[in-house]
Amino acid sequence: MTERARKTPGRRSLLGAAVLGTAALGLPATAARAAEPGRGHGGGHGSLRDLPVPTVVGHRGASGYRPEHTLGSYQLALDMGAHIIEQDLVPTKDGHLVCRHESDITATTDVADHPEFAGRKATKSIDGISYTGWFTEDFTLAELKTLRAKERIPGTRPDNTLYNGRWTVPTFEEVLRWAEKEGRRRSKPVWLYVETKHPTYFRKLGLGLEEPLARLLRRYGRDRGNSALILQSFEPGSVQRLARLVDTPRIVLLSGPKERPWDFVESGDPRTVADLVKPAGLAWMASFAQGIGPTLDLVIPKDASGRLTTPTTLVRDAHAKGLRLHPYTLRNENSFLPADFRRGTDPNAYGDVFGACAAYLATGIDGIFADQPDTALLAAADHAGR
Ligand code: G3P
Ligand code: CA
């Protein structure tokens, strides 16, 4: 089968089956169609052009207020008005895609309190870094579902620990169903922003992420160029693989300038992020992606004391290649803010995040990832009304 043919398998048969089922059940065709995965507002039709600019991305949901990557965190982000809500994806042992920032679930679940899993503790090298803990790829989905999510940084965000134990680790399919339900309820699509985590590492384990992700996107009608979903990865090769499987919009994430994407390390590609943000690198990414997700520091570097300096030419250069920019990550707490926007001496207290966000938005970026989407939305409104 060709790559192009593989992009839309089964759509005709899915619709055919649904129509037959509708007739058999005696349901009005329009009502039944709206309830199908991928149909109506629940299905997530939209165009990148429909997204407000600046676009506020709920980073891991509303992770400033709830344990990250839980349905509670996603719901709060949506209720706050985030324009698009982020999921990071890793696989289980039996190939299900679940929402975690990394497969090491030691910090974000209660796995350490489960004696039945004590023997699963392991030390692994992932993308050249050693980790000791418990990993999703060693758990079946049924086993993973016996765990409860908890706050990653309780020292910084003690209030969030109130919600420890309230939610399980969601599967991506559960999130797609939630987004469909909320889309129908709100009569407008719920946008999702979906990242493949460590795709080369997982492919070597026989747990490639892109194919099951593409299958889910097709099943829920989010495999099209006008789907209300953006795909993202730090590995350009993963973005390219996704581009061969689905038409869903894509962005390439960019880390520090000296770093190399892990698929480049594995394949011997010598380019660094500093190379990718040059015009030739941007032109290359524009051949298979609609945008980039750089660090905020690639947009406005900091000096040795952590204060903002002069913006780089990245916004202008990326726009010249037709690429959107959605940098990451804005957080309210002093410890995460540039030094010139910290207030007082408590690292966990909120600083002048509105001032910092205004500085970033003034560069012309098209959106921003934010742990506290309500704050970023207010800053975006200030920016629009300036
Ligand atoms: O995907 C954008 C941003 O989330 C990238 O950073 O490490 O939080 O996934 P990370
Ligand atoms: Ca992410």
Side-chain angles (χ1 to χ4, degrees):
M1 189 188 298
T2 64
E3 295 288 3
R4 174 58 54 179
R6 229 177 292 144
K7 280 193 174 184
T8 52
R11 185 175 300 152
R12 192 185 300 267
S13 58
L14 176 70
L15 292 178
V19 169
L20 282 175
T22 301
L25 291 169
L27 292 174
T30 47
R33 264 201 303 277
E36 289 168 22
R39 302 292 294 193
H41 289 295
H45 292 292
S47 157
L48 277 181
R49 285 189 299 274
D50 297 340
L51 277 173
V53 175
T55 305
V56 171
V57 186
H59 186 239
R60 311 180 196 176
S63 56
Y65 304 117
R66 298 288 185 273
E68 67 186 42
H69 289 313
T70 59
L71 287 177
S73 184
Y74 300 149
Q75 185 71 53
L76 183 59
L78 183 65
D79 292 345
M80 285 179 161
H83 303 134
I84 181 164
I85 299 167
E86 194 206 25
Q87 290 79 46
D88 296 313
L89 299 185
V90 294
T92 62
K93 186 179 181 178
D94 47 350
H96 294 275
L97 298 179
V98 295
C99 302
R100 290 288 94 187
H101 179 260
E102 57 273 299
S103 65
D104 181 350
I105 48 173
T106 313
T108 63
T109 72
D110 63 357
V111 64
D113 301 331
H114 285 250
E116 70 275 24
F117 296 133
R120 306 273 177 100
K121 192 171 185 182
T123 298
K124 303 191 180 207
S125 176
I126 301 177
D127 297 0
I129 299 172
S130 179
Y131 299 90
T132 297
W134 288 264
F135 299 83
T136 59
E137 63 266 32
D138 297 331
F139 288 75
T140 64
L141 179 60
E143 290 170 336
L144 196 69
K145 278 291 186 183
T146 66
L147 309 180
R148 313 298 292 189
K150 69 175 188 181
E151 172 56 41
R152 173 194 293 278
I153 45 174
T156 302
R157 294 171 174 165
D159 290 351
N160 297 7
T161 64
L162 174 66
Y163 307 97
N164 283 359
R166 180 166 285 268
W167 296 289
T168 60
V169 173
T171 65
F172 182 52
E173 184 158 20
E174 287 170 341
V175 174
L176 286 163
R177 287 201 205 109
W178 164 80
E180 284 208 338
K181 182 176 65 121
E182 288 293 332
R184 282 194 292 273
R185 193 164 74 83
R186 292 159 190 259
S187 297
K188 66 177 192 181
V190 172
W191 279 78
L192 304 176
Y193 213 134
V194 181
E195 180 180 349
T196 55
K197 281 291 184 192
H198 310 295
T200 296
Y201 167 79
F202 287 121
R203 185 162 295 277
K204 283 187 158 182
L205 297 182
L207 291 168
L209 298 171
E210 293 85 358
E211 292 82 2
L213 173 54
R215 279 196 291 277
L216 282 171
L217 295 177
R218 290 182 201 118
R219 191 177 306 154
Y220 287 86
R222 298 208 184 220
D223 58 326
R224 306 162 203 175
N226 66 351
S227 294
L229 193 143
I230 303 176
L231 296 162
Q232 44 164 343
S233 184
F234 281 105
E235 295 188 19
S238 180
V239 179
Q240 290 175 306
R241 191 183 294 274
L242 286 164
R244 292 193 293 270
L245 293 168
V246 291
D247 292 324
T248 312
R250 301 164 295 275
I251 69 122
V252 181
L253 295 169
L254 299 167
S255 52
K258 293 181 182 157
E259 293 183 40
R260 286 162 72 202
W262 188 254
D263 56 331
F264 284 18
V265 174
E266 294 266 341
S267 69
D269 188 325
R271 289 177 294 174
T272 62
V273 168
D275 295 318
L276 293 181
V277 297
K278 289 177 185 158
L282 294 168
W284 177 69
M285 291 186 286
S287 70
F288 57 86
Q290 288 73 39
I292 56 173
T295 64
L296 286 165
D297 288 352
L298 285 170
V299 176
I300 310 182
K302 299 191 193 87
D303 64 18
S305 65
R307 302 169 73 86
L308 292 187
T309 61
T310 306
T312 65
T313 60
L314 181 58
V315 174
R316 188 188 69 204
D317 295 345
H319 282 168
K321 304 298 182 198
L323 292 165
R324 291 168 177 74
L325 297 96
H326 293 163
Y328 63 93
T329 299
L330 188 75
R331 298 179 167 105
N332 289 3
E333 294 90 352
N334 275 324
S335 57
F336 300 115
L337 286 168
D340 35 345
F341 293 95
R342 294 177 195 149
R343 295 292 175 264
T345 54
D346 179 354
N348 300 328
Y350 284 180
D352 179 15
V353 64
F354 293 117
C357 195
Y360 291 122
L361 294 178
T363 64
I365 57 176
D366 303 282
I368 194 162
F369 286 79
D371 280 10
Q372 290 94 353
D374 54 340
T375 306
L377 284 161
L378 285 170
D382 291 346
H383 178 76
R386 74 197 186 288

